[in-house]
């Protein structure tokens, strides 16, 4: 029996289920459908069952904007959970603003943005990149080679990291990967960049090897997606190891490891606000409930084998619960009322620990540094508790005199 419209609330899911980003984004669709079922089984939100409206952004950035328009204007969803890349988010942002909609965005990004119509459950740069640098400095590393995929997230993150490293007293010559300057001599790009899907890392790896010859060197990697496979293959072939020159990656989570040769990456480091290996009752329940849901799921084509959980999945899950709590506090699904409650600060005890919404539309959460194991899981080495999400970092770190 179809529920009558007034007994349901429509909720948008806007992710790439096809194209180059589907490998990552399909897992976010899965976790969202799981979360809606979990909430519906307990009576829904304000007595209404969540009715998901799932659309495919197809890794096509202008199409994301069309799909957002459809969700808001035709389907009239109360909220949307979606986007992975910054370019897809920037494509939908004006649509959410002009239609006064609400988007929850869950994937680590470069910051430098704060839309009144977006809640960023995503890791800001100071909840991933700068804590990772702090950890490496603490461990005695003195040289940092910056390597990334050629788009906005790595480019912006590395400019912030350049300022951050200088503020910590790391001299310019100890920041590798190269620089681009404008006419006035100001650095406008820091680090080495390769296009999406790049396969030949021979030259770059030999440069890293030379750069790391004196020891105390690490690579800070914002390489995204499948290009990590040829990079790490070349790195291993050159005789580099996690002992001689560790790589700290910001775009490889447990979910990416399903498609990577995990054994080649043992000992390499990651930094996220969640790892599947967190030992807590909330996380253990989350993992077993998700696995049980997968086993009985009838979503067409859903992958059931070898599934894992990761930070973007958990930040999607947390986002749904923060939205639900805000709706219940507001006593309304109206976007402006829901946002007002989120801006006052709402907490949820999620699988990665407590998360709290902030006035600036970002989220306070714990940060974890982990070391890769052969099974594609992370051994947690250090955690930083309740890190406040700060999107505007460019220009805030001053060089150490």
């Amino acid at each position: 029996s179809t529920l009558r419209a007034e007994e349901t609330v429509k909720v948008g899911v806007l992710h790439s289920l096809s194209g180059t980003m589907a490998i990552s984004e399909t897992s976010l669709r899965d976790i969202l459908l799981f979360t809606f079922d979990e909430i519906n089984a307990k009576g829904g939100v304000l007595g209404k069952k969540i009715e998901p409206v799932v659309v495919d952004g197809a890794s096509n950035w202008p199409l994301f904007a069309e799909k957002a328009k459809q969700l808001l204007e035709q389907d009239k969803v109360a909220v949307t959970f979606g986007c992975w890349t910054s370019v897809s988010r920037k494509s939908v942002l004006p649509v959410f603003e002009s239609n006064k909609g609400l988007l929850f965005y869950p994937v680590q990004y470069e910051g430098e943005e704060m839309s009144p119509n977006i809640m960023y459950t995503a890791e800001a740069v100071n909840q991933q990149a700068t804590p990772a640098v702090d950890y490496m400095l603490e461990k005695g590393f003195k040289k940092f080679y910056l390597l990334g995929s050629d788009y906005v997230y790595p480019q912006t993150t590395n400019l912030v990291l350049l300022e951050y490293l200088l503020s910590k007293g790391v001299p310019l010559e100890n920041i590798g990967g190269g620089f681009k300057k404008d006419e006035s001599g100001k650095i406008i790009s820091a680090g080495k960049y390769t296009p999406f899907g790049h396969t030949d890392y021979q030259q770059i790896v030999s440069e890293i090897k030379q750069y790391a010859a004196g020891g105390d060197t690490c690579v800070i990697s914002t390489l995204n997606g499948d290009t990590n496979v040829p990079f790490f293959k070349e790195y291993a072939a050159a005789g580099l190891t996690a002992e001689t020159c560790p790589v700290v990656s910001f775009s490889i989570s447990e979910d990416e490891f399903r498609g990577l040769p995990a054994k080649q990456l043992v000992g390499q480091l990651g930094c996220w606000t969640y790892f599947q290996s967190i030992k807590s009752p909330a996380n253990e329940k989350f993992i077993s409930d998700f696995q049980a849901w997968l086993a009985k799921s009838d979503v067409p084509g859903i992958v059931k084998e070898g599934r894992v959980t990761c930070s973007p999945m958990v930040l999607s899950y947390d986002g749904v619960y923060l939205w639900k709590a805000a709706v219940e506090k507001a006593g309304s699904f109206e976007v402006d009322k829901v946002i007002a409650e989120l801006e006052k600060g709402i907490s949820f005890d999620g699988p990665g620990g407590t998360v709290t919404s902030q006035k600036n539309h970002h989220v306070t959460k714990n940060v974890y540094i982990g070391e890769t194991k052969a099974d594609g899981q992370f051994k947690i080495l250090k955690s930083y508790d309740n890190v406040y999400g700060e999107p505007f970092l460019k220009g805030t770190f001053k060089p150490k005199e």
Side-chain angles (χ1 to χ4, degrees), residues 6-7 22 38 75 81 83 85 98 136 166 228 263 283 292 300 310 343 365:
E6 63 268 24
E7 290 170 13
E38 182 174 81
D75 299 306
F81 299 89
C83 297
T85 64
S98 63
M136 299 314 274
L166 293 172
N228 279 290
K263 285 180 186 60
N283 187 38
C310 67
E343 287 177 352
K365 45 198 180 285

Side-chain angles (χ1 to χ4, degrees), residues 56 121 129 139 148 168 223 229 236 238 275 318 326 354 369 385 390:
D56 180 9
T121 58
K139 290 280 168 221
K168 294 287 176 185
L223 290 177
V229 178
F275 285 121
D318 290 348
T354 303
I369 311 276
D385 290 345
E390 185 43 76

Side-chain angles (χ1 to χ4, degrees), residues 185-234:
K186 184 173 169 285
I187 293 174
I188 49 168
S189 173
K192 179 78 75 191
Y193 296 94
T194 56
F196 275 106
H198 189 68
T199 54
D200 181 9
Y201 281 94
Q202 207 174 337
Q203 202 180 338
I204 288 172
V205 167
S206 88
E207 189 182 304
I208 291 170
K209 190 174 178 174
Q210 230 174 331
Y211 190 74
D216 295 341
T217 303
C218 63
V219 176
I220 303 289
S221 170
T222 41
L223 290 177
N224 225 311
D226 52 10
T227 193
N228 279 290
V229 178
F231 168 70
F232 278 105
K233 271 205 175 112
E234 190 61 51

Side-chain angles (χ1 to χ4, degrees), residues 74-95:
Q74 286 167 36
D75 299 306
K76 303 214 178 322
V77 297
V79 62
T80 299
F81 299 89
C83 297
W84 182 292
T85 64
S86 283
V87 60
S88 67
R89 187 193 66 256
K90 287 183 183 296
S91 169
V92 304
L93 182 149
V95 180

